[in-house]
Amino acid sequence: MLMLDVKDVHKHFGQLHVLKGISLQLERGETGVLFGRSGSGKSTLLRCINYLESIDSGEIYVDSELVTPDRAKLRKLRANIGFVFQHFNLFPHLSILGNVTLGLKVVKKTPEDEAREIALKALEDVGLKEKAENYPEELSGGQQQRVAIARSIAMNPKMILFDEPTSALDPELIGEVLEVMKDLSQQGMTMLVVSHEMGFARETADKMFFLHNGKLVEEGPPSEIFRKPKTEECRRFIEAIL
Amino acid sequence: MVFGKLSIADINYLWRGTLLTLRLCLTGIGLGLILGAIFGILRANPRKTLTKMIAAAYIEFFRAVPLMLLFVVGYFGIISLGYNVSRFGAVVAAISLYTGAYIGQVVRTGIESVGRGQWEASVSLGMSYVDTLRYVILPQAVKIMIPPAIGVVIGVVKGSSLASVVGYVELVLAGRHVIQRTYAPLLVMGTIAMIYFVICYPLSILSKNLERKL
Amino acid sequence: MGLRWEVPLKNLPYLLGGALLTLRLVGISVVFGIFLGIVGAMGRTSKNKLFHGIATAYVELFRNTPFLVQIYFAYFALPTFNIDLTPGQSALFVMILNTGAYMSEIIRAGIEAVHKSQVESGYSLGMSYLQVFRYVMLPLAMKAIAPPLGNQIISMTLSSCVISQISAEDLTFRAMMLENRTFRSFEIYIVTILIYFLLAEFLYLVIGYINRKVFGISAKQKLPTMI
Ligand SMILES: Nc1ncnc2c1ncn2[C@@H]1O[C@H](COP(=O)(O)OP(=O)(O)OP(=O)(O)O)[C@@H](O)[C@H]1O
Ligand SMILES: [Mg+2]
């Protein structure tokens, strides 16, 4: 069962051709790691899947649903896709619990008590139940990112997209976030992760995708990608970051 | 004798003028806040809607014309067309529209100063534009809006003096009446200036302090 | 009752002449106001208590009282001291003082926008004081000063209509003269308001252009300022 099906997607920013015909698939429960040089279009691809950016041509299906600009459909779709940002984007005026329950209450119209229960469970999953009453600014970067993940999980999504979730973190905080993501992956969540954490990719990814200048030039299981990359660019890139 | 003297009756008259100034300001600010909130929110819409364009035209127009002439058109102008308007009605309408435009700009700037990440995080949860504004953007934007909004309030208090031009007896016109009776322009105008100062100066300090805390 | 737009339109040259008078008064008060503002800003940043106190009193008094009251004060109260000015002189006098007070704050904020570390990094590159001033302090300060200064010019253009209340001749005064002759208040003042509007939009364009080309500032929004 395909969870994510990206078909020949093109995207321009003005004159700049950022995505040049990307096709990529993820099965339900798979974890994909997307990597490549800065500016290669990784964030743009992720954002297109959630329609934070429009696409010029091609099609994207999430669980067989076409990603369209139709607003009502889009809201439903987005409620079913988690998105974890590089800079967390927690809501600073809401408590941790408020952050995790907001989507439930506003989008899913979940009653207060039930929303609270679901949120506490999600916070427990990321190991932050005791911080429920704190505010984002009182948490470390790693903790904030775990809250952002809990905010996504609480919505019970079909898939979660991660855009460089650890690259804004101090090195000693990266581990705790990757640990949470690994757990999620093992519990069967479908995930597409933009990351250059090669240790995480090796242990967790089912598939890896190497994006270069807006094209998907290489894809395969980590064993293949790390052992014998097919293209020179990919080989050099992996060497540079390992 | 440079200063002259004021009788109790004169002081009472000035006091009444002060109260009428305050009444005019509070009404204008109240209605202006409502107009400003509505048009500011419409103006901040990232999509080019008709309402956005109307809001933009309203805000840009009233911020580029003199308040005094709005009073003049709103009262003398309308009367010259043969319609009956009350002074207070005309003056309140003009000051509200004017205040609304300035507040509208404050609201718009406040909304736009909340980072894009907050929109994206909300929208990614499946929230609608209106829900995002209501639960995520506005609660954060209000804090940013307060210092410049206080600046607008100060402007309205000072600008309300222009209602005297169309014969609305607020503080300044009350003062001119007292000058006619007492021939003490220095004392009366000095007193009036001090009354405005006592209202405006604390507000400007407050605005500055709140801004520093942001 | 029909509208008679031909009344203001036939007298458009007369009104536009008034607009030039307004612009001239604003121009003069901005030039002198900037000089006054420099002195005021020096006072506001001075360690000399007396100078600081006088500058602060001046700035805060003018910023926290209505322009109309300031105009009336000059017109009605100054004669008490045997200072007799024509309406035009009173008006210009107050316009300069008022502009000077706002300019003081704008220039002070501009000076404070230059951070010590930026000056020090200039010196650490081996620059002389003059070079640091020319290449570091001045451009940084000007960048902070230019946008609010432009807004101030526009605010004064719009507020200056108040001087007609003491019979100083400007656009609004001419509109009043026309009204006295014709009694077509509505048409005349609508046209007058539109002239002010076009004047303000024209200034926004010019100032925006200067800000972009000279100071490299893309001032997207007009800040609300009310005198
Ligand atoms: N909103 C935008 N408008 C114009 N150009 C954009 C926009 N967003 C991204 N770009 C450009 O598109 C290209 C791809 O950007 P993208 O953010 O997808 O790269 P990335 O692979 O995520 O890089 P990084 O590793 O630095 O995050 C870049 O050249 C970028 O400058
Ligand atoms: Mg990126």
Side-chain angles (χ1 to χ4, degrees):
Chain A
M1 268 285 275
L2 276 187
M3 179 57 85
L4 174 65
D5 191 3
V6 177
K7 289 182 171 168
D8 196 26
V9 164
H10 285 265
K11 168 77 186 168
H12 293 78
F13 284 117
Q15 296 294 321
L16 193 66
H17 199 172
V18 183
L19 298 180
K20 302 170 182 164
I22 302 281
S23 298
L24 152 172
Q25 279 92 36
L26 272 185
E27 298 285 335
R28 185 185 298 273
E30 276 188 329
T31 293
V33 167
L34 188 62
F35 66 112
R37 278 221 311 263
S38 177
S40 56
K42 306 178 298 288
S43 298
T44 306
L45 176 59
L46 229 56
R47 294 163 59 83
C48 286
I49 295 171
N50 212 4
Y51 213 82
L52 288 173
E53 302 283 357
S54 60
I55 60 177
D56 299 333
S57 66
E59 284 164 346
I60 299 173
Y61 293 89
V62 175
D63 201 18
S64 307
E65 294 272 351
L66 181 66
V67 178
T68 67
D70 179 284
R71 280 206 275 169
K73 281 189 195 155
L74 191 56
R75 282 211 293 277
K76 237 178 94 191
L77 184 100
R78 281 170 171 166
N80 282 326
I81 307 176
F83 202 111
V84 175
F85 299 87
Q86 184 176 8
H87 296 287
F88 333 136
N89 297 355
L90 293 183
F91 306 130
H93 61 297
L94 298 177
S95 69
I96 298 310
L97 192 66
N99 266 273
V100 183
T101 51
L102 185 66
L104 291 168
K105 287 196 283 198
V106 173
V107 179
K108 298 203 158 172
K109 312 281 182 225
T110 312
E112 180 85 41
D113 292 349
E114 201 182 322
R116 195 186 151 85
E117 224 170 276
I118 296 173
L120 287 175
K121 171 76 181 58
L123 284 170
E124 196 172 6
D125 287 349
V126 301
L128 286 172
K129 198 176 172 185
E130 71 283 5
K131 297 284 185 194
E133 302 304 327
N134 290 69
Y135 279 79
E137 60 179 15
E138 299 164 342
L139 269 55
S140 73
Q143 291 172 328
Q144 289 190 42
Q145 193 60 298
R146 281 149 65 198
V147 173
I149 294 172
R151 182 169 69 178
S152 286
I153 324 180
M155 295 294 283
N156 192 20
K158 294 178 174 170
M159 171 172 74
I160 304 182
L161 308 170
F162 295 80
D163 191 1
E164 305 205 34
T166 57
S167 64
L169 298 178
D170 289 337
E172 73 272 18
L173 301 177
I174 291 176
E176 59 188 64
V177 173
L178 293 180
E179 204 54 43
V180 166
M181 290 168 60
K182 213 160 78 187
D183 285 350
L184 258 181
S185 171
Q186 275 160 9
Q187 287 161 26
M189 177 62 73
T190 313
M191 301 169 28
L192 183 58
V193 185
V194 174
S195 177
H196 293 151
E197 294 296 331
M198 288 301 147
F200 169 79
R202 199 193 303 266
E203 285 178 48
T204 317
D206 300 294
K207 283 182 189 160
M208 292 179 73
F209 305 97
F210 178 63
L211 210 56
H212 187 70
N213 283 338
K215 285 192 180 133
L216 199 62
V217 295
E218 185 134 358
E219 105 171 65
S223 50
E224 257 175 52
I225 297 274
F226 284 116
R227 203 136 352 105
K228 41 179 198 310
K230 291 188 211 87
T231 57
E232 179 62 16
E233 290 95 4
C234 185
R235 190 186 62 74
R236 260 196 270 148
F237 185 82
I238 289 177
E239 249 169 37
I241 57 174
L242 274 184
Chain B
M1 180 71 188
V2 174
F3 283 108
K5 264 191 207 141
L6 294 183
S7 68
I8 296 288
D10 296 330
I11 291 171
N12 272 335
Y13 196 70
L14 287 180
W15 175 240
R16 262 204 26 193
T18 309
L19 292 182
L20 287 175
T21 284
L22 290 178
R23 179 173 81 148
L24 175 58
C25 291
L26 290 179
T27 318
I29 289 163
L31 294 174
L33 282 176
I34 295 170
L35 286 173
I38 293 170
F39 284 103
I41 287 171
L42 292 177
R43 177 89 172 89
N45 193 336
R47 298 184 313 134
K48 276 209 170 59
T49 56
L50 180 66
T51 52
K52 178 189 176 123
M53 286 183 319
I54 293 171
Y58 162 69
I59 291 174
E60 295 303 316
F61 179 77
F62 281 96
R63 290 179 53 238
V65 296
L67 175 59
M68 188 182 96
L69 292 183
L70 294 181
F71 286 139
V72 171
V73 166
Y75 187 61
F76 293 143
I78 300 289
I79 281 184
S80 79
L81 295 180
Y83 297 105
N84 233 333
V85 277
S86 80
R87 272 210 181 80
F88 185 67
V91 160
V92 162
I95 209 167
S96 305
L97 284 170
Y98 189 76
T99 310
Y102 278 82
I103 294 286
Q105 179 69 359
V106 169
V107 168
R108 175 216 177 173
T109 312
I111 289 174
E112 290 180 348
S113 66
V114 176
R116 219 171 63 145
Q118 294 292 308
W119 285 101
E120 293 186 345
S122 318
V123 162
S124 296
L125 288 171
M127 287 169 68
S128 66
Y129 178 75
V130 173
D131 282 340
T132 302
L133 261 184
R134 176 165 161 209
Y135 294 106
V136 177
I137 305 302
L138 285 177
Q140 298 180 57
V142 163
K143 247 192 277 175
I144 303 167
M145 293 173 196
I146 288 175
I150 294 175
V152 173
V153 169
I154 295 170
V156 171
V157 172
K158 292 189 290 177
S160 70
S161 65
L162 300 169
S164 63
V165 169
V166 296
Y168 181 74
V169 189
E170 41 62 76
L171 181 52
V172 169
L173 192 52
R176 292 195 59 177
H177 292 164
V178 173
I179 290 174
Q180 280 162 16
R181 287 205 294 267
T182 59
Y183 304 104
L186 191 63
L187 180 58
V188 174
M189 276 300 150
T191 307
I192 288 175
M194 276 311 126
I195 293 173
Y196 280 107
F197 187 82
V198 165
I199 300 171
C200 294
Y201 185 60
L203 286 174
S204 64
I205 300 269
L206 178 66
S207 167
K208 233 183 250 176
N209 286 345
L210 289 177
E211 193 172 342
R212 210 168 293 148
K213 268 195 214 141
L214 278 183
Chain C
M1 198 164 169
L3 293 172
R4 294 187 39 203
W5 294 105
E6 70 274 13
V7 174
L9 292 182
K10 244 192 278 166
N11 290 285
L12 206 52
Y14 176 66
L15 290 176
L16 291 177
L20 284 182
L21 291 179
T22 289
L23 278 184
R24 204 185 64 175
L25 286 170
V26 172
I28 296 171
S29 55
V30 167
V31 170
F32 285 95
I34 287 175
F35 281 112
L36 207 50
I38 292 171
V39 177
M42 283 163 58
R44 295 278 273 160
T45 49
S46 165
K47 294 207 170 63
N48 181 318
K49 279 219 172 85
L50 183 67
F51 189 20
H52 180 91
I54 292 172
T56 304
Y58 160 59
V59 168
E60 297 297 0
L61 267 177
F62 273 87
R63 280 159 44 95
N64 290 294
T65 53
F67 187 43
L68 179 66
V69 171
Q70 294 160 20
I71 293 276
Y72 280 159
F73 200 88
Y75 187 67
F76 293 118
L78 285 187
T80 330
F81 297 109
N82 292 324
I83 303 172
D84 267 317
L85 300 173
T86 65
Q89 288 167 337
S90 306
L92 194 55
F93 177 64
V94 176
M95 283 173 74
I96 290 171
L97 284 177
N98 184 288
T99 307
Y102 284 90
M103 290 299 170
S104 300
E105 277 309 88
I106 291 171
I107 294 170
R108 185 181 69 127
I111 294 170
E112 284 170 0
V114 184
H115 291 289
K116 221 173 161 185
S117 60
Q118 294 162 324
V119 173
E120 282 167 355
S121 63
Y123 283 123
S124 72
L125 288 171
M127 289 186 187
S128 69
Y129 174 75
L130 275 182
Q131 285 170 324
V132 169
F133 183 79
R134 164 73 185 79
Y135 295 105
V136 180
M137 290 158 75
L138 198 60
L140 283 171
M142 283 312 295
K143 234 181 163 136
I145 290 171
L149 190 148
N151 281 321
Q152 194 54 38
I153 294 173
I154 293 160
S155 297
M156 183 41 89
T157 307
L158 297 176
S159 300
S160 67
C161 69
V162 169
I163 65 175
S164 62
Q165 294 307 304
I166 56 168
S167 308
E169 190 172 7
D170 72 337
L171 170 55
T172 302
F173 184 77
R174 287 197 170 184
M176 285 161 54
M177 292 293 102
L178 204 55
E179 183 202 17
N180 282 342
R181 287 210 309 273
T182 63
F183 305 105
R184 309 303 306 184
S185 315
F186 184 79
E187 297 90 327
I188 291 168
Y189 286 118
I190 288 288
V191 168
T192 307
I193 284 178
L194 287 179
I195 296 175
Y196 275 105
F197 176 74
L198 293 177
L199 225 49
E201 289 301 317
F202 168 72
L203 288 173
Y204 274 127
L205 281 181
V206 172
I207 289 164
Y209 181 82
I210 293 174
N211 281 345
R212 266 195 315 279
K213 292 289 160 184
V214 182
F215 302 108
I217 304 160
S218 61
K220 267 177 282 170
Q221 68 204 4
K222 309 159 187 175
L223 299 166
T225 42
M226 295 158 106
I227 294 181

